[in-house]
Each structure stands twice: as C-alpha cells, then as structure tokens.
Amino acid sequence: MIGNLQKWGAGVTGYALEPQEGKKGSAIRFLKTWWEQVKEESHHGHGKPILEVLVLDVLFQRRILKRSPLRWFMHFTIFAGWMTLFALSGMMFAVEMTEKFGIELPFTPAEFREFLSLPNYIFGYVLLIGVIIALVRRLFVSEVREASIMYDWVLLGGVFIVTISGFIADGIRTGIVWGFGLDPATAPPAALFHSVISLFFCIAYIPYSKYIHVIATPLAILANKGGE
C-alpha cells in the first residue's frame, strides 16, 4: 500500500495529483497534497459539500446508480457487506485482544460473538447476493463476459470462497444448515481456513489487484468534490 502511495506521489506537483507509472515519490507528500486539495476546494466553495460527497458519492455510490440501477445494487451490496463484515471482525478482534491483556469487560468474547452473530449473518447474505449477481452477469451477459479477464474471475472467485467458507465455518460450529452435518471437531480448521483466505483476499491482496479502487476511488472523489 505504501508502494502505491509512493507511485501516486511521484506525480505530485504543487497541489496537482497526477499518478505516474514506473516512478516513486513520497507517500506522506501525496497524502498531505491530497488533504490540502480537499481543504482548498472546500474553502473556495468549489464542487459539492464534503459531507454530501462522502455520504452520497463514496458510501452510497450515486454515480453508479445514475448509470445502472442493477450495477449499483451489485456494487453496493458487495461494498456494504464487505465493509460491514470487516468492521464486525475488527470489533471481535478488539474484544479478544482486550481479554488477552487482562482488561475486564462487562461481557465475555463468547457473549460478544453471539451478539454479533445476527449482523454477521445479515451482511454475509448481503455480500453473497452481490457476489451472485456479479457471477451471473459475467456468465450470462455477453458484454460483461467478453470484457472479463482472468484477473476478474480470480477476484470474484476469491470473494465467493471467502463468503461461503464463513457460512460453512459458522454452520459447523452452531450445527445449522450451512454445517452440512459435518463433525463439530472440524469447526476450528474450517474457521482457520476462512480467516486465512479472508486476510489474503480482503486485506493483503488489495494493493496488488483491481480492489485498489476501493481506496483510490474515494480519495479521487473526495479530492474532486464529486463529479465524474
């Protein structure tokens, strides 16, 4: 990720952000220049208010909605499901680490895990719906299928495996339908597999894949105060 910021920083001249391939600059300089550009446009009243851009353009992705409601629904369900599950996992990790350091909480990690089970399932299905729509479009919509490359299939297949493995790991642990009647003793290795592949596809792989737009696009939208 630092390497990407350095690449983007190579094109920084004054307050202009012009990423250049094959060159390296300063990641810190890039971030400072980006923030100055956001503040500068805010002070001069150019573009839309930053809060409106953040909520409507970054979070709710209205630019995609204007182009295609179906494509927007697919993108939004993947984005909302992925980011919410990431946040819930971070909360669970924080609670577990707090216990490891001997800090007392009004609840145990097991109780907190059960508390998060419902939102985990809800947003897990939200993510699954978006991934299924993406798979169907790439399989049956000729324009999308012809434009797809192996890179796209690897990313989509990775997210699909992450989503399904999460349902299966929890299903084995709780004994519900996603467990497929498997021995509860297989729950820990199933959970470990889900954790490792999630860390790979949902964190480590981001800077090296097209998923980098999850970070790059919001930065560009905020710097440009919305617009196309």
Side-chain angles (χ1 to χ4, degrees), residues 138-149:
R138 294 197 181 280
L139 286 172
F140 300 107
V141 178
S142 59
E143 294 179 0
V144 180
R145 185 176 63 249
E146 291 170 3
S148 298
I149 59 177

Side-chain angles (χ1 to χ4, degrees), residues 64-78:
I64 300 177
L65 177 60
K66 292 177 181 177
R67 297 189 183 107
S68 169
L70 178 60
R71 188 179 171 201
W72 170 82
F73 183 76
M74 177 193 71
H75 274 267
F76 184 73
T77 49
I78 293 176

Side-chain angles (χ1 to χ4, degrees), residues 57-228:
D57 287 332
V58 175
L59 297 181
F60 287 95
Q61 306 175 19
R62 65 177 172 185
R63 300 192 309 164
I64 300 177
L65 177 60
K66 292 177 181 177
R67 297 189 183 107
S68 169
L70 178 60
R71 188 179 171 201
W72 170 82
F73 183 76
M74 177 193 71
H75 274 267
F76 184 73
T77 49
I78 293 176
F79 174 78
W82 182 22
M83 296 304 292
T84 304
L85 291 172
F86 179 80
L88 294 174
S89 296
M91 293 166 60
M92 187 69 241
F93 173 76
V95 169
E96 290 179 335
M97 288 299 101
T98 300
E99 184 194 42
K100 295 292 185 184
F101 283 109
I103 302 174
E104 291 189 7
L105 295 172
F107 47 79
T108 66
E111 292 171 338
F112 191 67
R113 184 180 295 108
E114 290 305 316
F115 173 74
L116 294 182
S117 62
L118 181 59
N120 267 314
Y121 265 96
I122 291 174
F123 286 97
Y125 279 111
V126 168
L127 176 59
L128 182 60
I129 289 170
V131 171
I132 290 175
I133 293 174
L135 284 170
V136 170
R137 289 181 77 244
R138 294 197 181 280
L139 286 172
F140 300 107
V141 178
S142 59
E143 294 179 0
V144 180
R145 185 176 63 249
E146 291 170 3
S148 298
I149 59 177
M150 184 56 65
Y151 214 55
D152 300 318
W153 287 108
V154 170
L155 293 176
L156 193 54
V159 175
F160 181 76
I161 292 173
V162 167
T163 308
I164 295 299
S165 65
F167 280 119
I168 293 175
D170 192 69
I172 297 173
R173 181 180 67 86
T174 59
I176 62 172
V177 62
W178 281 97
F180 301 108
L182 294 174
D183 187 345
T186 61
L192 179 61
F193 173 80
H194 171 69
S195 298
V196 171
I197 198 171
S198 296
L199 290 171
F200 176 73
F201 273 104
C202 298
I203 297 181
Y205 193 43
I206 287 177
Y208 307 98
S209 71
K210 289 173 66 175
Y211 279 156
I212 191 64
H213 76 266
V214 173
I215 298 171
T217 300
L219 290 177
I221 291 175
L222 288 170
N224 294 324
K225 304 306 260 224
E228 297 297 328

Side-chain angles (χ1 to χ4, degrees), residues 17 30-40 50:
L17 301 177
F30 167 79
L31 291 174
K32 286 183 177 178
T33 303
W34 172 81
W35 181 240
E36 289 296 329
Q37 186 168 327
V38 171
K39 290 195 301 180
E40 178 182 309
I50 190 169

